[in-house]
Every structure is written in C-alpha cells, then in structure tokens.
C-alpha cells in the first residue's frame, strides 16, 4: 500500500515474522484470529491478500472489513468501513489482533499511526478531488443549459459531499476487494455524474422530439 492511496488509513497494524515464522504463517493465523473476534465472510482474494468482515455495530457504522496483505515480508492489517467517529474502536480492534498474534506466533507487532497526513491526502486526491470536479462540471453544464438557478449550486456540492462519505465507507472498500487499479476507480468517480446527466439529457431530447 503506497503512502498516499485510496486505502490510506489512520491506523495500521504491522506484523513482522521472527525466528522460524514466515509471512505465510501470519496469514494462516489471520482468519482464526478474526473468527475469535466475531468476524466471518472470510475471503482469500489472491496469494498474500486476505480479508474478513462483519456488520457494523451502530447507526454510523458500515460493514467492517479487515484487510491483511503481505508487504515487504511483513503483513499489514487495517480496517475499512468503520464509523467516521470510530478511531478509538479501530485502535482497540487492532490492539486485540496484535495481542492475539503476540501470544500465538514468533513475531514483532506494531500499531502505526494515527497518520492523519496520509489519510487526509489519500481522501483528497483519490476521492474528494474527482467527485467535486465532477460535481462542478455537472453544475456548470446545467447552468449553461438553463433552468438551473445559481442558488442550487450548493445543493449539488452537498450531494457531492455525501458521495465522498459513501465512497470512503463503501465504494473504495469494494474496489479494493476486487483489486481494481486506482486510476480506473478514480475515473469512474469522475465520470459517473456527467454520464448520468448526459443520458438524462438524451432521454429528454428524445421525448421532446418524438413526443
């Protein structure tokens, strides 16, 4: 996972094997440890990339996904889909996973973070920037077409902000699960609203022409 990516998180657990242990041993223990933590829906997307999930435990919580992937002979573990107010809960969850590894394998475990800079820049570059740019294009296009008061611009950007929250808690989690390249996912975020607007405009013109 790069320094700035759609998956940049505030807290990350790094498990490094020591002695006779290997990264494969760490991954092998991942699902049993997560099962003890109440997780299910275990998946092995590819060699070196595992995940587990469970439903959120509150109104502001989405499904929690815990990702484990090999990076430089260590296993990096982090949590996505948590409450936007859930940093303390994430820290407690990672600490429990850390303790489980410490008691079952020869390894060194470190909880890194909170890395506010990495998480903030990751959100801005990969989520906020394409969505707000897309919203600006839609708003200007509707203004040029006519019938769209300038005072409604704020509504467009309000919906865009809700879209950013949804993208962070759901969209990027699914994109990461499917191992899609970041540039493709960003392009989808950028083009979604203009494409929908174009389709609606074509439908409207077709109805007007043949109606």
């Amino acid at each position: 996972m790069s320094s700035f990516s759609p998956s940049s998180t505030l807290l990350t657990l790094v498990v490094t094997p020591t002695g006779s242990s290997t990264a494969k041993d760490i991954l092998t223990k991942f699902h049993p440890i997560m099962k003890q933590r109440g997780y299910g829906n275990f998946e092995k997307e590819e060699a070196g990339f595992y995940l587990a999930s469970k439903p959120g435990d509150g109104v502001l919580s989405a499904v929690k996904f815990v990702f484990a992937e090999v990076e430089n002979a260590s296993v990096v573990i982090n949590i996505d889909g948590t409450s936007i107010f859930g940093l303390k809960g994430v820290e407690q969850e990672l600490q429990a996973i850390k303790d489980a590894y410490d008691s079952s394998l020869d390894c060194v475990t470190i909880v890194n973070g909170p890395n506010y800079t990495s998480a903030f820049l990751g959100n801005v570059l990969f989520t906020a920037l394409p969505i707000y740019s897309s919203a600006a294009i839609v708003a200007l296009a509707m203004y040029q077409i006519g019938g769209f008061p300038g005072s409604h611009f704020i509504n467009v950007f309000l919906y865009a902000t809700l879209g950013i929250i949804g993208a962070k808690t759901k969209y990027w989690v699914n994109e990461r699960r499917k191992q899609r390249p970041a540039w493709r996912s960003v392009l989808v975020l950028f083009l979604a609203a203009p494409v929908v607007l174009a389709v609606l405009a074509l439908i409207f013109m077709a109805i007007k022409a043949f109606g």
Side-chain angles (χ1 to χ4, degrees):
M1 193 165 53
S2 61
S3 297
F4 305 128
S5 77
S7 302
S8 295
T9 53
L10 290 174
L11 294 171
T12 298
L13 171 63
V14 180
V15 185
T16 303
T18 59
S20 60
S21 298
T22 65
K24 184 177 180 180
D25 295 328
I26 295 172
L27 284 177
T28 299
K29 291 289 295 184
F30 176 70
H31 284 160
I33 288 174
M34 299 315 299
K35 186 174 183 180
Q36 293 177 347
R37 301 292 306 157
Y39 285 78
N41 302 316
F42 302 123
E43 298 180 37
K44 177 182 178 182
E45 299 292 338
E46 60 179 34
F49 183 80
Y50 285 33
L51 68 89
S53 66
K54 70 176 179 180
D57 53 9
V59 175
L60 295 176
S61 294
V63 176
K64 292 183 180 179
F65 289 91
V66 180
F67 293 88
E69 53 190 314
V70 175
E71 183 178 297
N72 299 326
S74 298
V75 174
V76 177
I77 299 172
N78 55 48
I79 301 174
D80 274 318
T82 58
S83 167
I84 58 176
F85 304 109
L87 182 59
K88 186 65 176 179
V90 171
E91 184 178 12
Q92 292 173 345
E93 193 77 72
L94 290 179
Q95 185 63 47
I97 298 170
K98 176 184 184 300
D99 293 342
Y101 272 112
D102 286 336
S103 63
S104 61
L105 279 179
D106 288 334
C107 59
V108 174
T109 55
I110 301 174
V111 176
N112 289 330
N115 192 338
Y116 292 103
T117 300
S118 178
F120 175 76
L121 289 178
N123 288 335
V124 170
L125 294 175
F126 294 95
T127 306
L129 187 60
I131 289 180
Y132 277 138
S133 298
S134 179
I137 291 173
V138 168
L140 289 173
M142 294 178 70
Y143 180 77
Q144 292 295 325
I145 292 172
F148 187 73
S151 59
H152 288 184
F153 275 48
I154 190 171
N155 293 331
V156 172
F157 286 94
L158 173 61
Y159 287 122
T161 301
L162 294 176
I164 290 170
I165 296 172
K168 181 58 181 174
T169 57
K170 294 182 179 180
Y171 177 77
W172 280 116
V173 171
N174 286 327
E175 295 298 286
R176 188 178 180 193
R177 286 181 61 222
K178 296 172 183 177
Q179 292 288 277
R180 289 174 175 159
W183 68 266
R184 176 182 168 184
S185 303
V186 169
L187 190 62
V188 170
L189 287 177
F190 178 72
L191 293 178
V195 168
V196 170
L197 177 63
V199 170
L200 292 176
L202 288 174
I203 292 174
F204 176 77
M205 287 189 292
I207 293 174
K208 188 174 180 180
F210 299 101

